[in-house]
Amino acid sequence: MQDNNLDLPFWEGFSIWNFDRRSDGIWISLVPTVGSIARCSNCARACSQIHGRYWRTVREMTMVGEPVWLQVHLRRVRCPDCGTCAEHIDWLERHARVTRRLAQFVGLWCEKLPVAHVCEMTGLHWETVRRIERAKLATQLAALPIAEPVRLVMDEFALFKGHRYATVVLDADTRQVLWVGEGRSREAVRPFFEWLGVERCRQIEAVAMDMNSAFDLEVQQHCPRARVVYDLFHVIAKYGREVIDRVRVDEANQLKHDKPARQKVKRGRWLLLRNPENVPEDQQPKLEELLAANQALMTTYVMKASLKELWQPRTAWQWRRSWKSWLRMAAQGTLEPLQRFARRLHPYWRGILARLRWPMHTGQLEGINNRIKVMKRMAYGYRDSEFFFLKIKAAFPGNP
Ligand SMILES: [Zn+2]
């Protein structure tokens, strides 16, 4: 066993001293190959003076299905430039508890599999896998160029079980996730602007967000040049909940005497909330029948279509005309939910018109939110959200 000059293709600079099979796995002792020169871990300089030696136990990749433990005999060198330092080893990071090869393996599989599977594959403890992944993510993020955002998209997403929320800030131009933080209040997003700093905040020209979020005031406070742009996606979702759903329920209630008609209205939800271009051809007659038989639903439907058009203004003048006419139509009708919605929408007109100059695409966020959902499932058990946020940031490094 003790052939100190056996040159292995791995554990470079070291030779096997002892090999032992125990109940908890395979134990391999490694000592520096005779004649190998120790190098300073700080400056990589070859050092002839050895200050001392010590043993360190680290994990290696599983062999023939068994965990492998390496006991490595390491040298401490006396570097003329750096003083007393640990020796440099190609295959083992300083302070790491696993070899670089195993860390790379774990890092690679953590991108594709849930953590529990990676633990099973490697026999590593949950905490160890997480530590490895965290180090990898931190290295990836540190290598990114400094972001210089001009347009931002801010949105919230539900965190674990939907009781808590988190906010994500995206660079609209590079699609880089710049920041993720817990909460959705003004105070919760303040650390983002503090992180961005006064200079970069001054560069921000537009910020797209949900009309109902608390972000607009915070944006105005930190970014003096920024225009707030309200998101069509959120407004339409709100319209669906507060107008279409409401009117549909009211209408169904009025049709108590007419069971078939009532059923049609009740079941029409899906048809009504869909974009007309997404309603399959065979369902089209159903939708038309539903609308024709019901004046109130027809109105909410037409009003939804023209509300959407307000997000595609051609000129400010044309927008103003459509906006006024939309508000007038909503106010003059007899539908209470529609009137209420219009009253609430009114004060937000600047952020709707802002789209004329800042045509921000909300689709960007939908895609990212979907991927966050998948990551949430994969990261099942990541109890600390800070780690989850690190994962999100690393998954969206942007394309500068
Ligand atoms: Zn040195």
Side-chain angles (χ1 to χ4, degrees):
M1 269 288 157
Q2 284 96 8
D3 180 359
N4 272 6
N5 291 312
L6 181 67
D7 217 3
L8 293 170
F10 38 89
W11 307 321
E12 199 190 19
F14 286 77
S15 305
I16 293 174
W17 174 257
N18 195 27
F19 186 97
D20 198 7
R21 201 160 177 183
R22 302 186 198 161
S23 58
D24 62 346
I26 297 164
W27 285 76
I28 299 170
S29 306
L30 296 173
V31 294
T33 306
V34 173
S36 81
I37 293 157
R39 283 187 293 134
C40 167
S41 59
N42 197 41
C43 69
R45 179 180 175 150
C47 300
S48 51
Q49 280 208 46
I50 304 301
H51 179 74
R53 291 166 195 271
Y54 59 102
W55 289 97
R56 196 159 123 206
T57 306
V58 296
R59 279 291 285 272
E60 180 53 287
M61 302 263 290
T62 303
M63 263 181 219
V64 287
E66 288 199 52
V68 177
W69 302 88
L70 299 180
Q71 286 178 298
V72 193
H73 205 205
L74 295 168
R75 294 166 285 190
R76 221 186 292 278
V77 299
R78 196 168 288 160
C79 175
D81 293 328
C82 317
T84 303
C85 279
E87 76 170 300
H88 168 86
I89 302 163
D90 282 338
W91 48 271
L92 187 64
E93 298 272 2
R94 253 174 114 171
H95 311 299
R97 296 179 203 191
V98 304
T99 62
R100 186 169 282 167
R101 186 182 11 247
L102 179 54
Q104 279 167 354
F105 182 83
V106 168
L108 187 72
W109 284 105
C110 278
E111 284 172 18
K112 302 171 182 5
L113 292 176
V115 189
H117 291 210
V118 180
C119 291
E120 207 175 304
M121 263 164 72
T122 55
L124 290 175
H125 191 266
W126 179 279
E127 284 296 330
T128 312
V129 169
R130 201 170 72 158
R131 200 179 311 115
I132 294 168
E133 205 191 354
R134 183 189 284 272
K136 183 196 158 187
L137 297 174
T139 310
Q140 275 176 4
L141 288 172
L144 292 178
I146 292 171
E148 300 279 356
V150 176
R151 304 185 306 152
L152 303 172
V153 182
M154 295 177 79
D155 200 13
E156 61 185 49
F157 63 91
L159 209 56
F160 312 106
K161 300 201 168 113
H163 293 307
R164 284 147 60 213
Y165 288 84
T167 300
V168 56
V169 184
L170 181 78
D171 181 327
D173 297 293
T174 65
R175 295 175 59 86
Q176 180 186 355
V177 169
L178 298 172
W179 187 85
V180 193
E182 208 165 316
R184 53 177 171 175
S185 63
R186 276 189 71 172
E187 293 71 33
V189 297
R190 196 160 299 152
F192 164 71
F193 295 101
E194 287 163 359
W195 167 79
L196 202 59
V198 177
E199 276 309 307
R200 284 193 292 173
C201 277
R202 222 189 289 280
Q203 307 295 321
I204 303 298
E205 293 181 355
V207 186
M209 66 181 72
D210 178 0
M211 196 175 80
N212 281 10
S213 70
F215 308 143
D216 48 359
L217 294 172
E218 199 61 21
V219 166
Q220 276 153 19
Q221 187 182 322
H222 296 279
C223 309
R225 295 178 54 211
R227 283 295 296 269
V228 167
V229 183
Y230 294 119
D231 226 32
L232 172 66
F233 173 77
H234 288 106
V235 174
I236 294 300
K238 191 173 149 72
Y239 185 88
R241 282 192 310 272
E242 294 180 7
V243 182
I244 296 184
D245 273 352
R246 205 53 259 156
V247 170
R248 193 179 49 85
V249 170
D250 289 349
E251 289 299 306
N253 287 342
Q254 280 180 24
L255 291 168
K256 271 194 185 112
H257 51 279
D258 183 354
K259 267 220 163 137
R262 181 163 181 254
Q263 282 302 317
K264 266 183 199 152
V265 172
K266 278 187 83 174
R267 289 185 188 145
R269 178 168 198 269
W270 176 82
L271 284 171
L272 291 166
L273 293 181
R274 276 210 138 177
N275 287 331
E277 60 272 21
N278 292 340
V279 173
E281 211 149 317
D282 60 320
Q283 299 286 309
Q284 209 76 46
K286 248 190 199 170
L287 177 62
E288 279 160 24
E289 189 195 346
L290 185 68
L291 294 175
N294 197 295
Q295 191 63 48
L297 284 178
M298 182 70 158
T299 306
T300 60
Y301 204 72
V302 171
M303 289 298 278
K304 176 177 145 188
S306 54
L307 178 63
K308 277 184 169 174
E309 276 165 24
L310 290 171
W311 263 263
Q312 270 103 43
R314 278 184 291 276
T315 63
W317 180 81
Q318 180 247 344
W319 181 85
R320 204 178 136 79
R321 230 174 49 151
S322 320
W323 171 243
K324 294 251 171 202
S325 103
W326 195 88
L327 289 177
R328 199 171 45 242
M329 266 156 55
Q332 282 168 357
T334 52
L335 299 171
E336 228 293 292
L338 182 58
Q339 289 170 351
R340 196 171 20 191
F341 183 86
R343 273 200 303 277
R344 288 208 197 127
L345 188 65
H346 199 169
Y348 293 98
W349 68 273
R350 273 191 192 82
I352 305 172
L353 178 59
R355 243 192 83 96
L356 181 62
R357 213 175 139 210
W358 305 107
M360 317 270 272
H361 299 288
T362 56
Q364 291 189 320
L365 261 174
E366 273 176 77
I368 286 175
N369 276 338
N370 286 340
R371 269 187 68 191
I372 288 177
K373 267 183 217 155
V374 174
M375 285 167 64
K376 205 157 68 173
R377 275 200 298 273
M378 290 244 310
Y380 170 76
Y382 279 142
R383 277 144 292 187
D384 83 86
S385 39
E386 189 222 318
F387 183 68
F388 180 43
F389 297 163
L390 201 62
K391 264 182 93 84
I392 295 173
K393 278 197 274 183
F396 302 98
N399 336 288

